[in-house]
Amino acid sequence: QGNRTFPRNSRNLAQDYGNSDNDVRHIAVINYLWEVPLGRGKGYLNTGVLGRVFEGMQFSGITTAQTGFPFEIRCPLDTQRTGIAAWCDQVGNPFASGSNSQPGLKTYFSNTAAFAIPNFGGPGNIGRNQFHGPGFVNFDMDFGKKTKLTERVNLEFRFECYNIFNHPHFQQPDNLFTDSNFGLISATASRPDSTTSARQMQVALKLNF
């Protein structure tokens, strides 16, 4: 299939004009923090036992939403005889109703008949990174509470939850036209620390003095 990092045709670089690999069109990141108005030093339930129980509570979090990364549809053949495999022809609507499904896999292109191998001698009509993969929505949330034990000692409790709604974060679909899983998504994305992107929770307790 050739080295895909090189242009498809070094004598016609215009064929590779298109979207960057990192062309994520829309990204929204919202940070928020709410100090609960209860407990000592606040406006409500600020005296006695209740004041100590409810003091120092806050909620914070990060919400991220973005569109997907781009990709193109690849062909297994070098139709231009340049040493680089071609991109496919698009001959129909890949999102029209079809029968592209397999148990345990998520369908991205429902109609694989919308693509074809281009004729020898010419390139496919699909542009560089013409399609965009699945988007990304994530909610991370944190609950913290500080309790003052003495004048110099306080106890800090934290409960952190990543991807609190357990929203799946999908990888790109298989984009090689002749693959058995073409147009299907077989895996979810991992976090930067290589752990799963599924919901994760952790609890911490710290004594400050």
Side-chain angles (χ1 to χ4, degrees):
Q1 297 177 16
N3 189 335
R4 302 282 174 93
T5 62
F6 288 97
R8 289 182 295 165
N9 188 342
S10 296
R11 295 183 176 182
N12 185 3
L13 297 180
Q15 290 183 14
D16 287 82
Y17 178 83
N19 299 318
S20 163
D21 290 341
N22 298 310
D23 181 27
V24 178
R25 298 295 175 91
H26 307 286
I27 300 177
V29 179
I30 302 173
N31 298 275
Y32 45 90
L33 185 149
W34 179 50
E35 292 190 358
V36 180
L38 303 175
R40 292 193 300 181
K42 303 297 182 180
Y44 304 96
L45 302 177
N46 51 17
T47 59
V49 176
L50 290 179
R52 183 175 291 273
V53 170
F54 289 107
E55 73 172 322
M57 294 194 303
Q58 68 175 30
F59 291 90
S60 60
I62 301 175
T63 298
T64 305
Q66 68 178 53
T67 52
F69 286 89
F71 67 96
E72 64 272 332
I73 307 302
R74 298 195 179 276
C75 165
L77 302 179
D78 174 17
T79 60
Q80 297 185 89
R81 300 178 178 87
T82 62
I84 306 296
W87 297 339
C88 281
D89 278 339
Q90 182 177 347
V91 296
N93 179 7
F95 301 104
S97 59
S99 59
N100 187 31
S101 64
Q102 288 191 37
L105 303 183
K106 178 178 174 59
T107 300
Y108 188 81
F109 290 133
S110 54
N111 178 28
T112 56
F115 302 100
I117 296 175
N119 295 325
F120 274 95
N125 62 18
I126 291 177
R128 170 185 168 86
N129 288 333
Q130 178 174 323
F131 298 96
H132 281 75
F136 174 89
V137 178
N138 185 71
F139 294 83
D140 296 335
M141 187 169 291
D142 169 87
F143 169 76
K145 183 182 188 310
K146 289 184 179 180
T147 302
K148 197 168 185 178
L149 302 179
T150 67
E151 191 67 28
R152 300 180 56 184
V153 180
N154 67 77
L155 188 66
E156 182 178 356
F157 170 81
R158 303 196 72 85
F159 175 74
E160 299 172 344
C161 186
Y162 303 95
N163 191 10
I164 189 171
F165 298 115
N166 205 27
H167 190 280
H169 302 155
F170 292 107
Q171 290 186 347
Q172 299 285 66
D174 188 318
N175 66 337
L176 181 60
F177 179 57
T178 52
D179 279 355
S180 59
N181 290 341
F182 172 68
L184 301 175
I185 299 174
S186 59
T188 55
S190 60
R191 291 185 174 273
D193 60 0
S194 299
T195 60
T196 175
S197 60
R199 182 193 296 120
Q200 298 182 43
M201 294 179 287
Q202 61 186 32
V203 177
L205 191 65
K206 181 168 65 174
L207 183 67
N208 299 311
F209 56 91

